[in-house]
Amino acid sequence: MPAGMFVQDNLAPDDNWVQVELKTTAGLGWASAGFFYVWTNPTQEVIGLSVDSLMGLVGVCSVTAKPSVFGSHAHLLVATGLNVYEAGGGVLDFVARTDVVDMTVNSLPFWLESQSKSTNVDALVHLSYDLLVVPGGGRIVVEALAGFVYTNFGEGEEVVDFAGNFSRITSPNMTFTATPIIIT
């Protein structure tokens, strides 16, 4: 995760948000901002679990390929999704992915002008998954996240700004719905 990406955050019942800024100019990489929710199976029976959350993204994203002798390239993908973890274990699965922004620009060798694209982001994404199985007394951790994947070379640059006035990434809460599993 790039240093200094997080500008401000708030964690409170039904009011979880983070403001992030990211500017990249070197190679290939990724970063993410996530909200973690924990559920413990209160029974000794295996339970089927559904999870449901809304994630809001308000901000601006841009890509620029500046003039370069060998040409330049910039690509940015912003996606939301859910990571599911076993308590004390690794990632079980990345589910419910939704792409929010996908932009690419190129400048040809010896091109005299920069090529750029930008977009205002105002998205509300419904994240849900219905196929989780939690053993009796087991614990599961679900992360609602916004991920940023970038690729550039030459004089490429990507900017993610979810930190301006009224800009942020939100995940107010997560709903867990347990369903008994019937084994025949």
Short mmCIF file of all heavy atoms in Angstrom, two decimals, residues 64-114:
data_model
loop_
_atom_site.label_atom_id
_atom_site.label_comp_id
_atom_site.label_asym_id
_atom_site.label_seq_id
_atom_site.Cartn_x
_atom_site.Cartn_y
_atom_site.Cartn_z
N THR A 64 -2.99 9.85 -17.46
CA THR A 64 -2.30 10.74 -18.39
C THR A 64 -1.08 10.03 -18.95
O THR A 64 -0.31 9.41 -18.20
CB THR A 64 -1.84 12.04 -17.69
OG1 THR A 64 -2.99 12.69 -17.14
CG2 THR A 64 -1.14 12.98 -18.67
N ALA A 65 -0.90 10.12 -20.26
CA ALA A 65 0.32 9.65 -20.92
C ALA A 65 1.00 10.89 -21.50
O ALA A 65 0.52 11.49 -22.47
CB ALA A 65 -0.02 8.65 -22.02
N LYS A 66 2.11 11.29 -20.88
CA LYS A 66 2.81 12.51 -21.28
C LYS A 66 3.75 12.21 -22.45
O LYS A 66 4.10 11.07 -22.69
CB LYS A 66 3.60 13.06 -20.08
CG LYS A 66 2.70 13.48 -18.93
CD LYS A 66 3.50 13.94 -17.75
CE LYS A 66 2.58 14.27 -16.58
NZ LYS A 66 3.32 14.61 -15.38
N PRO A 67 4.18 13.26 -23.18
CA PRO A 67 5.11 13.05 -24.30
C PRO A 67 6.39 12.36 -23.84
O PRO A 67 6.91 12.61 -22.76
CB PRO A 67 5.41 14.47 -24.77
CG PRO A 67 4.28 15.31 -24.27
CD PRO A 67 3.84 14.67 -23.00
N SER A 68 6.86 11.43 -24.70
CA SER A 68 8.06 10.67 -24.38
C SER A 68 8.69 10.17 -25.68
O SER A 68 7.98 9.88 -26.64
CB SER A 68 7.70 9.49 -23.48
OG SER A 68 8.77 8.61 -23.33
N VAL A 69 10.00 10.05 -25.69
CA VAL A 69 10.70 9.56 -26.87
C VAL A 69 10.21 8.17 -27.27
O VAL A 69 10.04 7.87 -28.44
CB VAL A 69 12.23 9.53 -26.61
CG1 VAL A 69 12.96 8.85 -27.76
CG2 VAL A 69 12.75 10.93 -26.39
N PHE A 70 9.93 7.32 -26.28
CA PHE A 70 9.52 5.95 -26.55
C PHE A 70 8.01 5.73 -26.41
O PHE A 70 7.53 4.61 -26.50
CB PHE A 70 10.26 4.98 -25.64
CG PHE A 70 11.74 5.03 -25.83
CD1 PHE A 70 12.56 5.65 -24.89
CD2 PHE A 70 12.33 4.51 -26.98
CE1 PHE A 70 13.92 5.71 -25.08
CE2 PHE A 70 13.69 4.58 -27.18
CZ PHE A 70 14.49 5.18 -26.22
N GLY A 71 7.27 6.79 -26.13
CA GLY A 71 5.83 6.67 -25.92
C GLY A 71 5.53 6.42 -24.45
O GLY A 71 6.41 6.09 -23.66
N SER A 72 4.27 6.63 -24.09
CA SER A 72 3.85 6.45 -22.71
C SER A 72 2.52 5.72 -22.66
O SER A 72 1.75 5.73 -23.63
CB SER A 72 3.68 7.81 -22.01
OG SER A 72 4.90 8.49 -21.94
N HIS A 73 2.25 5.11 -21.51
CA HIS A 73 1.02 4.34 -21.31
C HIS A 73 0.57 4.53 -19.86
O HIS A 73 1.40 4.54 -18.95
CB HIS A 73 1.28 2.86 -21.58
CG HIS A 73 0.19 1.95 -21.12
ND1 HIS A 73 -0.93 1.71 -21.86
CD2 HIS A 73 0.04 1.24 -19.96
CE1 HIS A 73 -1.72 0.87 -21.21
NE2 HIS A 73 -1.15 0.57 -20.05
N ALA A 74 -0.75 4.65 -19.66
CA ALA A 74 -1.31 4.71 -18.31
C ALA A 74 -2.64 3.97 -18.31
O ALA A 74 -3.47 4.17 -19.21
CB ALA A 74 -1.50 6.14 -17.86
N HIS A 75 -2.84 3.11 -17.31
CA HIS A 75 -4.09 2.36 -17.17
C HIS A 75 -4.49 2.34 -15.70
O HIS A 75 -3.65 2.15 -14.83
CB HIS A 75 -3.95 0.93 -17.68
CG HIS A 75 -5.19 0.12 -17.47
ND1 HIS A 75 -5.28 -0.82 -16.47
CD2 HIS A 75 -6.39 0.13 -18.09
CE1 HIS A 75 -6.49 -1.37 -16.52
NE2 HIS A 75 -7.18 -0.79 -17.48
N LEU A 76 -5.79 2.52 -15.43
CA LEU A 76 -6.31 2.49 -14.06
C LEU A 76 -7.60 1.69 -14.03
O LEU A 76 -8.50 1.90 -14.86
CB LEU A 76 -6.59 3.91 -13.55
CG LEU A 76 -7.26 4.02 -12.18
CD1 LEU A 76 -6.33 3.48 -11.08
CD2 LEU A 76 -7.64 5.47 -11.90
N LEU A 77 -7.68 0.76 -13.09
CA LEU A 77 -8.91 0.01 -12.83
C LEU A 77 -9.28 0.23 -11.37
O LEU A 77 -8.45 0.04 -10.47
CB LEU A 77 -8.69 -1.49 -13.07
CG LEU A 77 -9.85 -2.41 -12.67
CD1 LEU A 77 -11.06 -2.18 -13.56
CD2 LEU A 77 -9.41 -3.86 -12.70
N VAL A 78 -10.51 0.67 -11.13
CA VAL A 78 -11.06 0.79 -9.78
C VAL A 78 -12.20 -0.22 -9.69
O VAL A 78 -13.12 -0.20 -10.51
CB VAL A 78 -11.58 2.21 -9.49
CG1 VAL A 78 -12.19 2.28 -8.09
CG2 VAL A 78 -10.46 3.24 -9.65
N ALA A 79 -12.11 -1.12 -8.72
CA ALA A 79 -13.13 -2.16 -8.57
C ALA A 79 -13.51 -2.30 -7.10
O ALA A 79 -12.72 -1.99 -6.21
CB ALA A 79 -12.61 -3.50 -9.09
N THR A 80 -14.73 -2.76 -6.86
CA THR A 80 -15.17 -3.08 -5.50
C THR A 80 -15.37 -4.58 -5.40
O THR A 80 -15.53 -5.26 -6.42
CB THR A 80 -16.49 -2.38 -5.16
OG1 THR A 80 -17.50 -2.82 -6.06
CG2 THR A 80 -16.35 -0.87 -5.24
N GLY A 81 -15.38 -5.08 -4.18
CA GLY A 81 -15.62 -6.50 -4.00
C GLY A 81 -15.61 -6.88 -2.54
O GLY A 81 -15.47 -6.03 -1.65
N LEU A 82 -15.74 -8.17 -2.30
CA LEU A 82 -15.71 -8.72 -0.95
C LEU A 82 -14.58 -9.74 -0.87
O LEU A 82 -14.47 -10.61 -1.73
CB LEU A 82 -17.03 -9.43 -0.61
CG LEU A 82 -18.30 -8.59 -0.62
CD1 LEU A 82 -19.52 -9.48 -0.43
CD2 LEU A 82 -18.24 -7.52 0.46
N ASN A 83 -13.74 -9.63 0.14
CA ASN A 83 -12.77 -10.67 0.49
C ASN A 83 -13.34 -11.43 1.67
O ASN A 83 -13.79 -10.81 2.63
CB ASN A 83 -11.41 -10.09 0.88
CG ASN A 83 -10.51 -9.86 -0.30
OD1 ASN A 83 -10.65 -10.50 -1.34
ND2 ASN A 83 -9.58 -8.96 -0.15
N VAL A 84 -13.30 -12.75 1.61
CA VAL A 84 -13.80 -13.57 2.71
C VAL A 84 -12.61 -14.29 3.33
O VAL A 84 -11.82 -14.93 2.62
CB VAL A 84 -14.84 -14.60 2.19
CG1 VAL A 84 -15.34 -15.46 3.32
CG2 VAL A 84 -15.99 -13.88 1.49
N TYR A 85 -12.47 -14.19 4.65
CA TYR A 85 -11.37 -14.79 5.40
C TYR A 85 -11.93 -15.73 6.46
O TYR A 85 -12.98 -15.46 7.03
CB TYR A 85 -10.55 -13.74 6.14
CG TYR A 85 -10.00 -12.61 5.31
CD1 TYR A 85 -10.76 -11.48 5.05
CD2 TYR A 85 -8.72 -12.67 4.80
CE1 TYR A 85 -10.25 -10.43 4.31
CE2 TYR A 85 -8.20 -11.62 4.06
CZ TYR A 85 -8.96 -10.50 3.81
OH TYR A 85 -8.46 -9.46 3.08
N GLU A 86 -11.21 -16.79 6.74
CA GLU A 86 -11.47 -17.57 7.94
C GLU A 86 -10.73 -16.88 9.07
O GLU A 86 -9.61 -16.41 8.87
CB GLU A 86 -10.93 -18.99 7.81
CG GLU A 86 -11.78 -19.92 7.02
CD GLU A 86 -11.19 -21.32 7.02
OE1 GLU A 86 -9.95 -21.46 7.00
OE2 GLU A 86 -11.98 -22.26 7.04
N ALA A 87 -11.33 -16.82 10.26
CA ALA A 87 -10.63 -16.21 11.39
C ALA A 87 -9.33 -16.97 11.62
O ALA A 87 -9.33 -18.20 11.70
CB ALA A 87 -11.51 -16.23 12.62
N GLY A 88 -8.22 -16.25 11.69
CA GLY A 88 -6.93 -16.88 11.90
C GLY A 88 -6.32 -17.47 10.65
O GLY A 88 -5.25 -18.05 10.68
N GLY A 89 -7.00 -17.34 9.50
CA GLY A 89 -6.49 -17.93 8.26
C GLY A 89 -6.34 -16.90 7.17
O GLY A 89 -6.49 -15.71 7.39
N GLY A 90 -6.08 -17.39 5.98
CA GLY A 90 -5.89 -16.51 4.84
C GLY A 90 -7.19 -16.22 4.12
O GLY A 90 -8.28 -16.56 4.58
N VAL A 91 -7.07 -15.58 2.97
CA VAL A 91 -8.23 -15.26 2.15
C VAL A 91 -8.82 -16.55 1.61
O VAL A 91 -8.12 -17.37 1.02
CB VAL A 91 -7.84 -14.34 0.97
CG1 VAL A 91 -9.02 -14.11 0.06
CG2 VAL A 91 -7.31 -13.02 1.46
N LEU A 92 -10.10 -16.74 1.83
CA LEU A 92 -10.79 -17.89 1.26
C LEU A 92 -11.19 -17.61 -0.18
O LEU A 92 -11.08 -18.47 -1.03
CB LEU A 92 -12.04 -18.22 2.07
CG LEU A 92 -11.84 -18.82 3.44
CD1 LEU A 92 -13.18 -18.99 4.13
CD2 LEU A 92 -11.13 -20.15 3.34
N ASP A 93 -11.67 -16.39 -0.41
CA ASP A 93 -12.19 -16.09 -1.74
C ASP A 93 -12.37 -14.59 -1.91
O ASP A 93 -12.60 -13.86 -0.96
CB ASP A 93 -13.54 -16.79 -1.93
CG ASP A 93 -13.82 -17.14 -3.38
OD1 ASP A 93 -13.00 -16.78 -4.26
OD2 ASP A 93 -14.84 -17.78 -3.63
N PHE A 94 -12.25 -14.12 -3.15
CA PHE A 94 -12.59 -12.76 -3.53
C PHE A 94 -13.86 -12.88 -4.36
O PHE A 94 -13.87 -13.54 -5.40
CB PHE A 94 -11.47 -12.12 -4.35
CG PHE A 94 -11.78 -10.72 -4.80
CD1 PHE A 94 -11.83 -9.68 -3.89
CD2 PHE A 94 -12.04 -10.44 -6.13
CE1 PHE A 94 -12.13 -8.38 -4.30
CE2 PHE A 94 -12.33 -9.16 -6.56
CZ PHE A 94 -12.37 -8.13 -5.63
N VAL A 95 -14.95 -12.30 -3.87
CA VAL A 95 -16.25 -12.48 -4.51
C VAL A 95 -16.92 -11.13 -4.76
O VAL A 95 -16.48 -10.11 -4.25
CB VAL A 95 -17.18 -13.37 -3.64
CG1 VAL A 95 -16.60 -14.76 -3.47
CG2 VAL A 95 -17.43 -12.74 -2.28
N ALA A 96 -17.97 -11.15 -5.54
CA ALA A 96 -18.83 -9.98 -5.77
C ALA A 96 -18.08 -8.80 -6.36
O ALA A 96 -18.30 -7.66 -5.98
CB ALA A 96 -19.55 -9.57 -4.47
N ARG A 97 -17.17 -9.03 -7.30
CA ARG A 97 -16.39 -7.95 -7.90
C ARG A 97 -17.25 -7.13 -8.87
O ARG A 97 -17.99 -7.68 -9.69
CB ARG A 97 -15.20 -8.52 -8.65
CG ARG A 97 -14.41 -7.45 -9.36
CD ARG A 97 -13.24 -8.00 -10.11
NE ARG A 97 -12.86 -7.10 -11.17
CZ ARG A 97 -11.82 -7.27 -11.93
NH1 ARG A 97 -11.05 -8.31 -11.75
NH2 ARG A 97 -11.54 -6.41 -12.86
N THR A 98 -17.12 -5.81 -8.75
CA THR A 98 -17.78 -4.89 -9.67
C THR A 98 -16.77 -3.84 -10.10
O THR A 98 -16.20 -3.14 -9.25
CB THR A 98 -18.99 -4.19 -9.00
OG1 THR A 98 -19.92 -5.18 -8.57
CG2 THR A 98 -19.67 -3.24 -9.95
N ASP A 99 -16.52 -3.72 -11.40
CA ASP A 99 -15.62 -2.68 -11.91
C ASP A 99 -16.35 -1.34 -11.93
O ASP A 99 -17.50 -1.27 -12.41
CB ASP A 99 -15.13 -3.03 -13.31
CG ASP A 99 -14.21 -4.25 -13.32
OD1 ASP A 99 -13.81 -4.71 -12.23
OD2 ASP A 99 -13.91 -4.75 -14.42
N VAL A 100 -15.71 -0.31 -11.42
CA VAL A 100 -16.31 1.02 -11.35
C VAL A 100 -15.69 1.95 -12.38
O VAL A 100 -16.37 2.73 -13.03
CB VAL A 100 -16.18 1.60 -9.92
CG1 VAL A 100 -16.74 3.01 -9.84
CG2 VAL A 100 -16.86 0.68 -8.91
N VAL A 101 -14.35 1.90 -12.53
CA VAL A 101 -13.61 2.72 -13.49
C VAL A 101 -12.61 1.84 -14.20
O VAL A 101 -11.93 1.03 -13.57
CB VAL A 101 -12.86 3.88 -12.78
CG1 VAL A 101 -11.96 4.63 -13.75
CG2 VAL A 101 -13.82 4.83 -12.09
N ASP A 102 -12.49 1.98 -15.52
CA ASP A 102 -11.47 1.27 -16.30
C ASP A 102 -11.06 2.21 -17.44
O ASP A 102 -11.81 2.40 -18.39
CB ASP A 102 -12.04 -0.04 -16.85
CG ASP A 102 -10.97 -0.96 -17.41
OD1 ASP A 102 -9.80 -0.54 -17.51
OD2 ASP A 102 -11.32 -2.11 -17.76
N MET A 103 -9.87 2.83 -17.31
CA MET A 103 -9.42 3.84 -18.27
C MET A 103 -7.99 3.56 -18.72
O MET A 103 -7.15 3.16 -17.91
CB MET A 103 -9.42 5.24 -17.64
CG MET A 103 -10.77 5.76 -17.26
SD MET A 103 -10.71 7.52 -16.78
CE MET A 103 -9.72 7.47 -15.30
N THR A 104 -7.74 3.80 -20.00
CA THR A 104 -6.40 3.65 -20.57
C THR A 104 -6.13 4.79 -21.54
O THR A 104 -7.02 5.18 -22.30
CB THR A 104 -6.28 2.31 -21.34
OG1 THR A 104 -6.57 1.24 -20.46
CG2 THR A 104 -4.89 2.13 -21.93
N VAL A 105 -4.89 5.31 -21.53
CA VAL A 105 -4.44 6.26 -22.55
C VAL A 105 -3.02 5.89 -22.97
O VAL A 105 -2.27 5.30 -22.20
CB VAL A 105 -4.47 7.73 -22.07
CG1 VAL A 105 -5.89 8.21 -21.86
CG2 VAL A 105 -3.64 7.94 -20.84
N ASN A 106 -2.67 6.24 -24.20
CA ASN A 106 -1.34 6.01 -24.75
C ASN A 106 -0.90 7.25 -25.52
O ASN A 106 -1.71 7.91 -26.15
CB ASN A 106 -1.35 4.82 -25.73
CG ASN A 106 -1.69 3.52 -25.03
OD1 ASN A 106 -0.95 3.05 -24.20
ND2 ASN A 106 -2.85 2.96 -25.36
N SER A 107 0.40 7.54 -25.47
CA SER A 107 0.97 8.54 -26.37
C SER A 107 2.04 7.82 -27.18
O SER A 107 2.80 7.02 -26.64
CB SER A 107 1.54 9.73 -25.60
OG SER A 107 2.70 9.37 -24.90
N LEU A 108 2.05 8.08 -28.44
CA LEU A 108 2.98 7.42 -29.36
C LEU A 108 4.38 8.02 -29.22
O LEU A 108 4.55 9.14 -28.73
CB LEU A 108 2.49 7.57 -30.79
CG LEU A 108 1.11 6.96 -31.07
CD1 LEU A 108 0.66 7.32 -32.47
CD2 LEU A 108 1.13 5.46 -30.87
N PRO A 109 5.42 7.28 -29.65
CA PRO A 109 6.77 7.86 -29.60
C PRO A 109 6.82 9.20 -30.34
O PRO A 109 6.19 9.36 -31.37
CB PRO A 109 7.62 6.81 -30.32
CG PRO A 109 6.87 5.53 -30.16
CD PRO A 109 5.41 5.92 -30.17
N PHE A 110 7.53 10.13 -29.75
CA PHE A 110 7.72 11.47 -30.30
C PHE A 110 6.43 12.27 -30.40
O PHE A 110 6.37 13.29 -31.07
CB PHE A 110 8.43 11.42 -31.67
CG PHE A 110 9.73 10.71 -31.62
CD1 PHE A 110 9.87 9.44 -32.17
CD2 PHE A 110 10.82 11.28 -30.99
CE1 PHE A 110 11.07 8.77 -32.11
CE2 PHE A 110 12.03 10.62 -30.92
CZ PHE A 110 12.17 9.37 -31.48
N TRP A 111 5.34 11.79 -29.75
CA TRP A 111 4.07 12.52 -29.73
C TRP A 111 4.29 13.81 -28.97
O TRP A 111 4.93 13.83 -27.92
CB TRP A 111 3.01 11.67 -29.04
CG TRP A 111 1.60 12.10 -29.30
CD1 TRP A 111 0.85 12.89 -28.49
CD2 TRP A 111 0.77 11.76 -30.39
NE1 TRP A 111 -0.39 13.07 -29.01
CE2 TRP A 111 -0.48 12.39 -30.20
CE3 TRP A 111 0.94 11.00 -31.54
CZ2 TRP A 111 -1.53 12.27 -31.09
CZ3 TRP A 111 -0.11 10.88 -32.42
CH2 TRP A 111 -1.33 11.51 -32.20
N LEU A 112 3.79 14.91 -29.47
CA LEU A 112 4.09 16.21 -28.88
C LEU A 112 3.09 16.64 -27.81
O LEU A 112 3.33 17.61 -27.10
CB LEU A 112 4.16 17.27 -29.97
CG LEU A 112 5.26 17.02 -31.03
CD1 LEU A 112 5.21 18.10 -32.10
CD2 LEU A 112 6.62 16.98 -30.37
N GLU A 113 1.98 15.93 -27.71
CA GLU A 113 0.96 16.33 -26.73
C GLU A 113 0.65 15.18 -25.78
O GLU A 113 0.71 14.01 -26.16
CB GLU A 113 -0.33 16.73 -27.45
CG GLU A 113 -0.19 17.96 -28.31
CD GLU A 113 -1.50 18.32 -29.00
OE1 GLU A 113 -2.54 17.73 -28.65
OE2 GLU A 113 -1.47 19.19 -29.87
N SER A 114 0.30 15.54 -24.54
CA SER A 114 -0.15 14.54 -23.58
C SER A 114 -1.53 14.04 -23.98
O SER A 114 -2.32 14.77 -24.58
CB SER A 114 -0.25 15.16 -22.18
OG SER A 114 1.02 15.50 -21.69
#
